[in-house]
Amino acid sequence: QKEVEQNSGPLSVPEGAIASLNCTYSDRGSQSFFWYRQYSGKSPELIMFIYSNGDKEDGRFTAQLNKASQYVSLLIRDSQPSDSATYLCAVITSGTYKYIFGTGTRLKVLA
Amino acid sequence: EAQVTQNPRYLITVTGKKLTVTCSQNMNHEYMSWYRQDPGLGLRQIYYSMNVEVTDKGDVPEGYKVSRKEKRNFPLILESPSPNQTSLYFCASSWGRFRTDTQYFGPGTRLTVL
């Protein structure tokens, strides 16, 4: 069974701090990696995708991919209370167009 | 407005009574997908479709059927619902350009099977 694992949290950080969310995956052939944000009672929405090793920045968000170690992370700089949500890591498994999601990490940004 | 719509949003039914949850997108997306979300288990893919008449199983397809007769619609069918199918269901669509894919999710359908 191909898996994506995340710490369920909650991860609590003070306002203005950097939040670091981590995700590991088991399928070494996975090629595309995604971070979705889901507010309570709402649908997931895409924050970022990454498919090359290294860092990718978009505003306050930075995704980091390390294929050798099979992990992908999301950094949120200058965290705001409005960032409080569940963050879902997802991969597209090798040889298919099937998505595997992690169970999500709940982030709480304390004002 | 670009959107994915699902109906109904809430449904309470009884074991064995066939039901269909509709999903429609107005973005001309090729890829459509159904997920269920359960506490502690996260979002799990049920079925996906690469295009009209092309469907494939996700991780948890048992007890579900889908069809893709038109590009915009992707209904989820539960022919004989059981209580373990009580869940929150999401439909999603995207262009299917997988390295740079953005899935757009519908608002969700909360299903309770008694």
Side-chain angles (χ1 to χ4, degrees), chain A residues 7 40 72 88 98 103 106-107:
Chain A
N7 188 318
S40 181
V72 57
L88 306 171
K98 189 160 54 172
T103 54
R106 190 155 64 96
L107 173 67

PDB file of all heavy atoms in Angstrom, chain A residues 7 40 72 88 98 103 106-107:
ATOM      1  N   ASN A   7       2.171  14.099  10.493  1.00  0.00           N
ATOM      2  CA  ASN A   7       1.849  14.200  11.904  1.00  0.00           C
ATOM      3  C   ASN A   7       0.510  14.931  12.017  1.00  0.00           C
ATOM      4  O   ASN A   7       0.324  15.984  11.422  1.00  0.00           O
ATOM      5  CB  ASN A   7       2.947  15.002  12.614  1.00  0.00           C
ATOM      6  CG  ASN A   7       2.769  14.988  14.109  1.00  0.00           C
ATOM      7  OD1 ASN A   7       1.659  15.114  14.623  1.00  0.00           O
ATOM      8  ND2 ASN A   7       3.865  14.828  14.824  1.00  0.00           N
ATOM      9  N   SER A  40     -11.850  24.300   8.487  1.00  0.00           N
ATOM     10  CA  SER A  40     -12.882  23.464   9.088  1.00  0.00           C
ATOM     11  C   SER A  40     -14.216  23.645   8.375  1.00  0.00           C
ATOM     12  O   SER A  40     -14.689  24.768   8.211  1.00  0.00           O
ATOM     13  CB  SER A  40     -13.021  23.817  10.575  1.00  0.00           C
ATOM     14  OG  SER A  40     -14.000  23.015  11.176  1.00  0.00           O
ATOM     15  N   VAL A  72       8.585  15.715   1.828  1.00  0.00           N
ATOM     16  CA  VAL A  72       8.234  17.028   1.307  1.00  0.00           C
ATOM     17  C   VAL A  72       7.725  17.853   2.487  1.00  0.00           C
ATOM     18  O   VAL A  72       7.048  17.319   3.372  1.00  0.00           O
ATOM     19  CB  VAL A  72       7.203  16.916   0.166  1.00  0.00           C
ATOM     20  CG1 VAL A  72       5.966  16.193   0.602  1.00  0.00           C
ATOM     21  CG2 VAL A  72       6.849  18.281  -0.393  1.00  0.00           C
ATOM     22  N   LEU A  88      -2.986  19.383   4.045  1.00  0.00           N
ATOM     23  CA  LEU A  88      -2.962  18.041   3.465  1.00  0.00           C
ATOM     24  C   LEU A  88      -1.848  17.932   2.447  1.00  0.00           C
ATOM     25  O   LEU A  88      -1.737  18.752   1.540  1.00  0.00           O
ATOM     26  CB  LEU A  88      -4.297  17.742   2.768  1.00  0.00           C
ATOM     27  CG  LEU A  88      -5.569  17.923   3.585  1.00  0.00           C
ATOM     28  CD1 LEU A  88      -6.804  17.801   2.698  1.00  0.00           C
ATOM     29  CD2 LEU A  88      -5.629  16.886   4.688  1.00  0.00           C
ATOM     30  N   LYS A  98      -3.405   8.334  -9.917  1.00  0.00           N
ATOM     31  CA  LYS A  98      -4.132   8.231  -8.666  1.00  0.00           C
ATOM     32  C   LYS A  98      -3.483   9.133  -7.614  1.00  0.00           C
ATOM     33  O   LYS A  98      -2.252   9.163  -7.485  1.00  0.00           O
ATOM     34  CB  LYS A  98      -4.087   6.776  -8.203  1.00  0.00           C
ATOM     35  CG  LYS A  98      -4.958   6.448  -7.050  1.00  0.00           C
ATOM     36  CD  LYS A  98      -5.236   4.955  -6.961  1.00  0.00           C
ATOM     37  CE  LYS A  98      -4.050   4.066  -6.935  1.00  0.00           C
ATOM     38  NZ  LYS A  98      -4.449   2.670  -6.658  1.00  0.00           N
ATOM     39  N   THR A 103      -3.142  12.203   6.033  1.00  0.00           N
ATOM     40  CA  THR A 103      -4.293  12.462   6.895  1.00  0.00           C
ATOM     41  C   THR A 103      -4.363  13.913   7.345  1.00  0.00           C
ATOM     42  O   THR A 103      -5.351  14.330   7.929  1.00  0.00           O
ATOM     43  CB  THR A 103      -4.269  11.546   8.120  1.00  0.00           C
ATOM     44  OG1 THR A 103      -3.009  11.685   8.772  1.00  0.00           O
ATOM     45  CG2 THR A 103      -4.476  10.085   7.709  1.00  0.00           C
ATOM     46  N   ARG A 106      -3.033  19.491  11.546  1.00  0.00           N
ATOM     47  CA  ARG A 106      -3.815  20.658  11.977  1.00  0.00           C
ATOM     48  C   ARG A 106      -2.871  21.709  12.541  1.00  0.00           C
ATOM     49  O   ARG A 106      -2.084  21.425  13.449  1.00  0.00           O
ATOM     50  CB  ARG A 106      -4.848  20.244  13.011  1.00  0.00           C
ATOM     51  CG  ARG A 106      -5.861  21.334  13.334  1.00  0.00           C
ATOM     52  CD  ARG A 106      -7.144  20.724  13.853  1.00  0.00           C
ATOM     53  NE  ARG A 106      -6.947  20.029  15.121  1.00  0.00           N
ATOM     54  CZ  ARG A 106      -7.189  20.575  16.316  1.00  0.00           C
ATOM     55  NH1 ARG A 106      -7.589  21.826  16.386  1.00  0.00           N
ATOM     56  NH2 ARG A 106      -7.005  19.878  17.404  1.00  0.00           N
ATOM     57  N   LEU A 107      -2.930  22.894  11.979  1.00  0.00           N
ATOM     58  CA  LEU A 107      -2.092  24.013  12.409  1.00  0.00           C
ATOM     59  C   LEU A 107      -2.944  25.033  13.149  1.00  0.00           C
ATOM     60  O   LEU A 107      -4.014  25.419  12.671  1.00  0.00           O
ATOM     61  CB  LEU A 107      -1.434  24.681  11.197  1.00  0.00           C
ATOM     62  CG  LEU A 107      -0.653  25.966  11.472  1.00  0.00           C
ATOM     63  CD1 LEU A 107       0.588  25.673  12.314  1.00  0.00           C
ATOM     64  CD2 LEU A 107      -0.261  26.656  10.171  1.00  0.00           C
TER      65      LEU A 107
END
